[in-house]
Amino acid sequence: MSIQYEEQLPDGYGVTDSFPKDFGYGEDEEADIEESPTASDSKPRILLMGLRRSGKSSIQKVVFHKMSPNETLFLESTNKIYKDDISSSSFVNFQIWDFPGQVDFFDPTFDYAMIFRGTGALIFVIDAQDDYVEALDRLHHTVSQAYRVNPEINFEVFIHKVDGLSDDHKIETQRDIHQRANDHLADASLEKLHLSFYLTSIYDHSIFEAFSKVVQKLIPQLPTLENLLNIFISNSGIEKAFLFDVVSKIYIATDSSPVDMQSYELCCDMIDVVIDVSCIYGLREDGSGSAYDKESMAIIKLNNTTVLYLKEVTKFLALVCILREESFERKGLIDYNFHCFRKAIHEVFEVGVSAQRPLGPQAVGSPCNKAVALNGTPRNTV
């Protein structure tokens, strides 16, 4: 479905709550950490940890289940470990484990080694509006235990609920938490343990931006994707391009130019508009079809000579570009370059799938016989 809009640039940007809730991931399921490993347990695992009422479950519901931020006020406190299988695409393919705040990692009956051993990222959520002394102690004990079990874990700290703080208070809080957390690590001789800090809120796009950075670290194809985006925008006169996971609005890759928060918010809002309109007008009369398919495309022209251009890349990925009207006059060139870019993305996808298959006899010319150059770019074997 193709959509074209002429739109006035809004004064502010907010999170759109009208995104269809059934256009998302499956329901989260209660996890039994004693159960035997399954095929899904081999996926990269993201752990959500923190004290009670710090906002862990709200983050998961808003980002991956399209819950309105206001509805999270009625969520009950988590009292068991919940496992959410996120399998939207080959690039965003992981599990999220939401831990209750009262879990004691030092309990002898708690097998923390089993959990940390298969973890790709550990997100510790700190409530910035509360006294965070206890949270910092829990953070130190948690990451030090996890690091001893698995030094390859990416440790991320979400300084959460900052929507109620002034800009100066946000900066001061981040500086204070950063200083105290790293002092604790230095005292424990864990200087090699690196913590990344993000200011987040479910009431704006900061939580999506932060989760994008976390997920990108788990994508082995990221350098290749960034290189493809750089080549695409440099040959098309495009200012900025994002490769989005449509369901979550996480961008799994962007070009090497700095990310402007306002540009990212515009692209997120464009995805919301496209899916909302497609759900109304893009389905067949009997209700069949998909709101997002290979024909999905949208153009939005703003009143400041900026054009937003969205094109379908895969079933779950969309390319959203920001460019000037004069550059968009060469739409034929852009579309041709996009065709080449899309083909390259599918080759990267095929290489990723073939790399996960067990070794065995393969037919000549099959996707499993593709090779990868040193820079990660797919190429055919000779």
Side-chain angles (χ1 to χ4, degrees):
M1 178 178 180
S2 300
I3 309 173
Q4 187 162 343
Y5 297 96
E6 297 276 350
E7 184 175 284
Q8 297 294 309
L9 186 64
D11 295 328
Y13 307 94
V15 177
T16 304
D17 299 333
S18 58
F19 199 105
K21 291 187 179 180
D22 58 349
F23 190 82
Y25 303 101
E27 291 299 319
D28 54 340
E29 58 190 59
E30 184 178 328
D32 182 357
I33 60 175
E34 301 297 333
E35 67 186 2
S36 59
T38 62
S40 62
D41 292 328
S42 62
K43 297 177 182 177
R45 187 182 302 153
I46 295 179
L47 307 185
L48 270 176
M49 295 183 170
L51 297 183
R52 288 171 61 90
R53 311 303 299 177
S54 58
K56 304 181 295 297
S57 298
S58 299
I59 290 173
Q60 179 191 1
K61 294 293 186 182
V62 169
V63 175
F64 296 106
H65 294 280
K66 313 321 328 163
M67 178 178 284
S68 166
N70 293 326
E71 293 179 28
T72 62
L73 298 173
F74 306 103
L75 286 176
E76 295 182 0
S77 181
T78 303
N79 53 21
K80 295 181 181 179
I81 299 176
Y82 282 89
K83 180 172 66 176
D84 201 2
D85 192 6
I86 307 300
S87 301
S88 66
S89 72
S90 62
F91 303 110
V92 185
N93 190 14
F94 52 85
Q95 294 177 327
I96 293 183
W97 286 29
D98 183 5
F99 282 75
Q102 66 270 23
V103 168
D104 182 9
F105 295 101
F106 302 98
D107 188 329
T109 62
F110 186 83
D111 188 7
Y112 61 85
M114 182 275 292
I115 294 178
F116 292 143
R117 196 176 297 118
T119 297
L122 190 157
I123 300 174
F124 196 92
V125 183
I126 296 178
D127 185 349
Q129 299 185 25
D130 198 3
D131 183 11
Y132 45 77
V133 174
E134 182 184 356
L136 285 172
D137 289 338
R138 178 68 69 86
L139 168 66
H140 174 72
H141 291 309
T142 302
V143 300
S144 58
Q145 285 278 48
Y147 183 76
R148 291 185 179 97
V149 174
N150 182 4
E152 302 301 319
I153 296 178
N154 298 317
F155 295 100
E156 322 285 350
V157 180
F158 285 7
I159 304 172
H160 197 48
K161 302 183 182 180
V162 297
D163 49 277
L165 307 180
S166 65
D167 290 341
D168 290 340
H169 196 179
K170 290 179 187 178
I171 296 173
E172 178 61 26
T173 300
Q174 183 177 21
R175 185 202 63 78
D176 187 37
I177 291 177
H178 183 280
Q179 183 67 40
R180 293 192 188 190
N182 283 302
D183 285 348
H184 287 170
L185 293 177
D187 293 340
S189 300
L190 292 172
E191 292 88 351
K192 292 183 179 180
L193 195 162
H194 176 71
L195 298 175
S196 300
F197 297 85
Y198 307 88
L199 294 171
T200 61
S201 169
I202 59 174
Y203 291 96
D204 57 30
H205 290 82
S206 60
I207 189 61
F208 296 94
E209 164 83 1
F211 238 107
S212 296
K213 298 292 181 60
V214 172
V215 170
Q216 286 171 21
K217 295 179 183 178
L218 302 178
I219 301 175
Q221 302 96 333
L222 182 63
T224 303
L225 299 178
E226 291 180 347
N227 187 39
L228 290 172
L229 285 167
N230 285 332
I231 295 172
F232 172 69
I233 68 168
S234 64
N235 289 281
S236 306
I238 293 172
E239 295 185 355
K240 189 68 181 172
F242 295 92
L243 190 60
F244 273 96
D245 172 52
V246 176
V247 177
S248 65
K249 291 183 293 187
I250 287 175
Y251 70 93
I252 66 169
T254 185
D255 57 88
S256 56
S257 63
V259 175
D260 174 52
M261 193 63 180
Q262 190 180 69
S263 300
Y264 172 65
E265 291 172 357
L266 276 173
C267 294
C268 286
D269 291 342
M270 182 182 192
I271 292 175
D272 284 333
V273 170
V274 170
I275 299 301
D276 283 346
V277 175
S278 296
C279 284
I280 298 172
Y281 301 106
L283 304 180
R284 301 187 182 93
E285 292 183 1
D286 59 358
S288 62
S290 174
Y292 183 77
D293 54 30
K294 63 181 180 180
E295 301 298 328
S296 294
M297 185 272 289
I299 302 167
I300 297 180
K301 295 183 178 180
L302 308 179
N303 65 345
N304 62 348
T305 71
T306 299
V307 176
L308 304 179
Y309 191 30
L310 179 148
K311 294 273 284 184
E312 185 264 0
V313 178
T314 73
K315 181 180 179 182
F316 299 105
L317 298 180
L319 181 70
V320 183
C321 306
I322 302 175
L323 65 160
R324 295 294 173 185
E325 283 187 358
E326 54 267 26
S327 299
F328 194 66
E329 292 175 358
R330 300 178 296 171
K331 184 174 178 296
L333 173 64
I334 295 174
D335 287 344
Y336 175 78
N337 288 339
F338 170 78
H339 174 74
C340 298
F341 171 81
R342 187 174 185 271
K343 182 179 179 182
I345 291 293
H346 281 264
E347 289 182 356
V348 173
F349 173 80
E350 288 177 0
V351 171
V353 170
S354 63
Q356 297 175 4
R357 291 174 181 164
L359 294 177
Q362 300 291 341
V364 176
S366 71
C368 291
N369 274 337
K370 295 209 172 183
V372 182
L374 292 177
N375 65 354
T377 305
R379 57 181 173 83
N380 290 324
T381 53
V382 178

